[in-house]
Amino acid sequence: MRCAAVLLLLAAAAEAASISGTVYLREGQARRPLAGARVQARAAAGRELLQSVSTDAEGRYRLSDLPRARVSLTAVKRGHFARAAASGDAALVLDAAAENISGADFELHAGGVITGRVLDQWGGPVENAPITLYQVPYPGSSQRTYAG
C-alpha cells in the first residue's frame, strides 16, 4: 500500500509545472532587480489564486507545483505598476504544459493608477467631464498630487 502511495505522489509531482523569473524595477532606461515584490499565479480560466510568492534579494521568484494548464501571472508592489518584460502587458499568460518555464520576467515602474467616477448633484454619471491632474508642493514634504 505504501508503495502505491509513493508512486501516486511521484506521478502527481511529475505532472506539476514550475515557473520562474525575475522582477525588475524600471528607472528610465535602467533596470535593477527588485526584492519584496509579490508574484501571483492564477488559473487563466476562473481567476482562482493558485500561488503567491515574494521575490528574493536578487528579484528572483519561483512558483512550484502548479497545474499543467494556462496560468496568468502578475507582479505587484505598493506604489508600482507592473508590465511583463516580454509583452508589456500587465499580466503574463503562460501555458504551463511544459514542466519548467523560466524567464517569466516583469518590470515594475514607480507610479500608480487613479480611478473614480464623476457624478452630478443627484448622483448620476457625468459624461465627457474634463479631469485635470495637478502636482502641488506642500510644506514639510516633497510633493503631493491632486485631481481637480
Side-chain angles (χ1 to χ4, degrees):
M1 189 66 159
R2 284 187 188 170
C3 185
V6 169
L7 288 176
L8 185 59
L9 286 173
L10 289 174
E15 292 179 13
S18 68
I19 300 173
S20 62
T22 305
V23 176
Y24 297 96
L25 176 62
R26 171 63 74 175
E27 298 173 309
Q29 297 299 317
R31 69 181 196 172
R32 63 178 173 83
L34 182 62
R38 300 284 306 164
V39 178
Q40 300 174 332
R42 296 183 181 275
R47 311 301 293 163
E48 170 194 357
L49 181 63
L50 302 172
Q51 201 173 132
S52 179
V53 296
S54 289
T55 57
D56 65 14
E58 286 80 39
R60 295 182 305 233
Y61 73 91
R62 181 175 180 81
L63 298 156
S64 303
D65 300 322
L66 294 170
R68 289 198 176 190
R70 288 176 54 83
V71 175
S72 175
L73 295 181
T74 55
V76 296
K77 186 162 185 169
R78 186 181 180 111
H80 298 80
F81 65 94
R83 294 287 178 243
S87 66
D89 294 330
L92 186 59
V93 179
L94 300 171
D95 186 357
E99 184 176 334
N100 294 307
I101 298 172
S102 61
D105 298 343
F106 286 90
E107 292 182 345
L108 271 62
H109 303 258
V113 176
I114 299 172
T115 63
R117 298 184 310 160
V118 178
L119 305 174
D120 64 20
Q121 62 211 33
W122 298 282
V126 177
E127 292 185 32
N128 301 317
I131 305 294
T132 306
L133 188 64
Y134 296 98
Q135 202 164 36
V136 180
Y138 67 99
S141 184
S142 57
Q143 290 187 339
R144 176 171 273 178
T145 302
Y146 294 96

